[in-house]
Amino acid sequence: MDRARSSTAYAARALALVVLSLAACPSPSTAPDAGAPASPDGAGPGPADAGAATADAGAGLADASSSAGPDASRPASCPFGDPGRTVGLLSCEQGAYEGYTLFAPVWSSTTFLVDMLGREVHRWRSSSLPGMTVYLLDSGELLRTVHKSMFGGVPTGGGLQRLAWDGTVTWDFEFGGPGVAPHHDVAPLPNGNVLLLFWETKSETDVIAKGYAPSGPVWSEALAEIRPTGAKTGEIVWEWHLWDHVLPGGSSPAQNPGLLALDYTRNDWLHLNSVSYSPELDQVVLSSRNLSELWVIDHGTTTAEAASHAGGKRGSGGDFLYRWGRPANWGAPGEQQLFGQHNVHWIAPGLPGAGHLLLFNNGNGRGWSTIDELVTPVDAAGGYPAPAAGEAFGPAAPAWRYQATPPTAFYANHISGTQRLPNGDTLVCAGDTGEIFEVTAAGAVVWRYRSPVGRSGVAAQGTVPKDPDMFRAVRFAADSPALAGRDLTPGAALEDAPGTTTDPGLAGDCKSSEDCQLCCASMNLVGYDKLVGWMSPCICGTGAKPGPCAAVCAEYYCAPVPSAAAPDEACSACASTEANGGSCTSVREKCLADAECFAFQSCRLGCL
């Protein structure tokens, strides 16, 4: 496989919009599971394929060459392709960028590293599901978000962990509290600190103080930079709160592009899903799925400056320096470009397209996905010229785009990510099918893999796993600092042991408070009647009905265990009222605060 393909062709068309075809290399897709609950990203499972374009490697991340040897039960080398395969390595071609691919299935507490032939070279076990994202640091430690809590019915983080190569937890930091919950993503910083993204609830009183007339509380977003101080401790050394940059009601959004007008008609009006840091600019880019927009803010501020509209390296405090994706959000003309996007990040120095923004544009409401690369109008000093009155920030369109032919052949409606590789190829993770593939700058698919790990365990060849969701996938070079000196001898492919669980530490009866937190989290999200299949490791031997685990969980974590016989009357009333166009603010407040009420779907769907 070629690790040194020239990027000359890529550079020559860096400012051209390229529509790439997937027709020559179709990808299997999975139809939605009608019985599946909503995903943790707010969308139900849906068909997905993947295509990639340009790519980025996060700080400290790279690619790797495979040391795989012959294996009678697996392909021994590339090229390889077998249309009958449904999981594991599906195809590979000479010229694919050799390396080791890291991924953390959403429904597994194990993070995997596989070689180019899909064989496992390492795994990190944990006692909890991921809060979504994981990062392999240059030190060889795994930084992972930890799922420990619920927030308004959405499984969230609750903490951060660093795991040594052997799985030893070297840092176990909890974050959150009433009305506060980390979620989705973090950004490891060069100084060893971590930028953590979190929700914070704003009451009706807070919303009214901003000059709006709400129908209930809303969720705002914030960032905290955490400096580890001990095995289980950390210090907040910098903060940024979006609420400080919400436009006062009655003000003109078009005259204030650095502020955000509040959508008070729904709780999760923002749904940020990624945070990325640029050391070169000392800036942060955030992705809002529900507003289909990305924002760049200045990290070179004090916390006090970040709460204001002045100061910092760019003189704008914590206001947006740049925004792109949906000009209508601030009253500017122009076509909508983003549609529920994920994984917005800067392409790292030394890679083709360095300094550009790369993202997975899911296409919610559009019906197809693309991989988009943006050349922002940033100047040499890190500034962004303000658009003229009545105009939007540039560019008018992506500089490069990957799109299938027909466009609907590639659609991942939630999660997902992408990475620029050093040879100019792009790695793509179609999150809702668990498929990872690599495409060249010219659009050729040169490597394709599908995770066999789902929420029901490991799928056998010839079948597909149930809900193989994964948030992202990243490839590392063999000479990456993270892999230096590590034993990367390949073992068996994951699908060679079908039917197994990748979470033996979570199976069976609840044995610890942490197990109970997971068990209760699943109950609170889907209700007892839907418990089976949502987080199978957390069933704790009780099946679909409350049992000993529920009682133990209640002692450790949950509100008093509700009756499984009938929904809470207040929640039913709320659902009925909302269905008829009315309002039930007081019951909505109850739903947000009361786990007993929130356990039932009628409450969640009717009140939120």
Side-chain angles (χ1 to χ4, degrees), residues 375-414:
V375 179
T376 68
V378 63
D379 59 31
Y384 300 81
E391 295 184 5
F393 282 100
W400 184 87
R401 167 173 286 171
Y402 173 77
Q403 179 174 302
T405 302
T408 52
F410 170 32
Y411 181 43
N413 69 353
H414 67 294

Side-chain angles (χ1 to χ4, degrees), residues 342-343 360 371 415-419 427-431 471-473:
H342 284 74
N343 198 196
F360 194 108
I371 306 299
I415 52 180
S416 308
T418 184
Q419 177 197 4
L427 194 70
V428 177
C429 170
F471 195 56
R472 291 178 194 156

Side-chain angles (χ1 to χ4, degrees), residues 552-607:
V552 175
C553 285
E555 177 182 351
Y556 278 104
Y557 184 73
C558 297
V561 179
S563 168
D568 181 275
E569 293 182 3
C571 291
S572 296
C574 174
S576 176
T577 302
E578 290 289 329
N580 292 320
S583 176
C584 53
T585 299
S586 61
V587 179
R588 181 180 288 108
E589 294 276 9
K590 174 178 172 62
C591 287
L592 287 172
D594 189 335
E596 180 174 352
C597 180
F598 207 90
F600 296 99
Q601 289 188 4
S602 59
C603 173
R604 292 194 313 282
L605 301 180
C607 299

Side-chain angles (χ1 to χ4, degrees), residues 156-177:
T156 68
L160 296 170
Q161 287 182 338
R162 279 194 179 128
L163 276 62
W165 186 262
D166 65 2
T168 302
V169 178
T170 60
W171 186 47
D172 192 0
F173 176 71
E174 293 192 4
F175 184 95

